[in-house]
Amino acid sequence: MTFGELIDRGVLDVTDGYRAKNSELGGTGLIFLRAGHVTDTHIDFEGVDRFRDELTRTLTEKLSKAGDVVVTTKGNSTGRTTFVTSRMPTFVYSPHLSRWRSLAYDQLEPGFLRYWSIGREFGVQLRGMSASTDMAPYLSLRDQRRLEITLPPIEEQRAIAHVLGALDDKIEQNRRTARVLERLALAIFRAWFVDFEPVRGKAKGATSFRSMPKPVFDALPTRFVDSEIGPVPEGWEARALSVAFEVNPTRPLRKGELAPYLDMKNMPTVGHAPVSWTDRVFGSGMRFMNGDTLVARITPCLENGKTAFVDFLRDGQLAWGSTEYIVFRPIAPLPPIFAYCLARTPEFRDYAVQNMSGTSGRQRVSSTAMDHYRIAVPSGHVAAAFGEVVTPMFDHIRAGIAESRKLAEIRNYLLPRLLSGEVRMPFDTIATGSHDDYTP
């Protein structure tokens, strides 16, 4: 059966996005979702454009709905797909996106369509269509009508969607938990070491601070002293980052030695752990180990926030990557995670961007610029307490990432076998819930 037949029967609706004018954007209204925000695993709403509020009523035909399958249709990312859930904010599709929407849940299960979109049947057809032209990859609405889809009975569609969706549900839960924990850790860092809220509170008579252990709070000073970066708590010291941290520390990785390699594309924009890495023979590049923080120093990676805290290696193992990283490692008493939290602050990012140099297409910040960036180094007991409070959060994030990788392996193993019928689910024993509860 083709998509065109399903469309003509009123089972499936396929459409592309809205061609927004620049004058319509820049407001606080509906999100305008571009293809770049559609990843292989989810929709990233960080940094999205928004429409002007008064345009909301004119955009109803291009709005997202829980259960939509989203497909990128132009450029090298053509064929990347994701799924709209009820937890997502409503958004407007851009022209380089198509959305597939089931109009008849008794014939086409949205969750099944979701997994079909990342399966072999769609992938083979997409590659065939891409190979038929010398132009940049493009999946037109006409091409989409030609897509052929094998539909099992609706009960089996629901069973497949239920089983695979349960795995993705846990993966998404781990992702949300990681984001919440990281935001909490960064908020604690800012309160303690940027805004000095515990010291300010104590100076005004407070007897505790919500994120700080009581003995540590009790030992805080109640005064500020002048420094080259402004007032800092008494007993703390303003130091150059290159004094408080090791910057690009030397490591004994020998040329020709096999070691994990992290390339720039796998550096995360949000999150503390890299997506993936491979073993390669060391040639030249930045060397790092667990406890180091990696910061991209080239444009636009730096502006986009590519930063990673290294915790994916064996104890004592060395890895390497691009020379376009800066490697930070805090010096005691600062805990390792301190550098990562600092690198995520807007103040650090702004400083680094302002100190970039080079050609317009290849600007970078030099590691020597860290000689001029000053931070307030706390007393030893405050630094240690921060590590004790925040490090378990990142341990929990790391455990969730490891679990998600295993769940993804199971999903990827089952998906082609379920879609092909090689593995059949006992669908009569599976409770799939209501059709409007699409929350994978």
Side-chain angles (χ1 to χ4, degrees), residues 8 20 69 75 91 121 243 247 251 362 433:
D8 294 341
V69 175
F91 58 84
E121 191 169 52
V243 174
V247 179
R251 300 278 166 66
R362 200 64 170 173

Side-chain angles (χ1 to χ4, degrees), residues 84-266:
V84 179
T85 76
S86 60
R87 296 188 183 95
M88 294 179 182
T90 302
F91 58 84
V92 179
Y93 293 101
S94 71
H96 292 174
L97 296 174
S98 281
R99 66 116 172 95
W100 303 343
R101 180 178 294 169
S102 173
L103 302 178
Y105 290 171
D106 60 340
Q107 299 179 60
L108 178 60
E109 170 67 24
F112 174 82
L113 184 60
R114 170 200 187 179
Y115 289 106
W116 181 86
S117 74
I118 58 176
R120 184 177 184 276
E121 191 169 52
F122 173 56
V124 169
Q125 294 178 78
L126 178 66
R127 288 191 292 274
M129 292 175 180
S130 299
S132 65
T133 176
D134 294 331
M135 300 176 65
Y138 177 58
L139 184 63
S140 67
L141 291 177
R142 182 178 179 181
D143 287 338
Q144 291 172 63
R145 286 187 61 91
R146 293 164 45 210
L147 290 170
E148 296 184 357
I149 181 172
T150 302
L151 289 178
I154 189 61
E155 294 84 359
E156 191 168 345
Q157 291 182 44
R158 292 171 181 165
I160 291 171
H162 175 81
V163 171
L164 298 178
L167 295 171
D168 275 325
D169 181 53
K170 179 57 177 170
I171 293 172
E172 179 60 25
Q173 180 182 336
N174 287 343
R175 183 183 296 114
R176 291 196 305 270
T177 298
R179 183 161 296 192
V180 169
L181 287 173
E182 176 158 328
R183 286 175 176 170
L184 177 58
L186 297 181
I188 292 172
F189 179 88
R190 180 164 201 90
W192 289 25
F193 304 119
V194 179
D195 299 329
F196 308 126
E197 290 181 21
V199 177
R200 295 185 189 280
K202 187 175 182 180
K204 293 179 180 180
T207 58
S208 64
F209 189 77
R210 57 188 178 276
S211 62
M212 182 174 281
K214 188 65 162 59
V216 178
F217 180 85
D218 290 341
L220 287 176
T222 57
R223 307 177 55 243
F224 287 83
V225 296
D226 291 334
S227 77
E228 55 190 312
I229 58 173
V232 299
E234 186 177 29
W236 295 24
E237 183 180 352
R239 296 180 191 169
L241 189 145
S242 57
V243 174
F245 295 174
E246 294 181 77
V247 179
N248 294 339
T250 57
R251 300 278 166 66
L253 192 60
R254 295 182 297 275
K255 189 173 182 178
E257 186 175 344
L258 191 67
Y261 177 86
L262 177 63
D263 59 25
M264 188 63 75
K265 72 177 181 180
N266 283 319

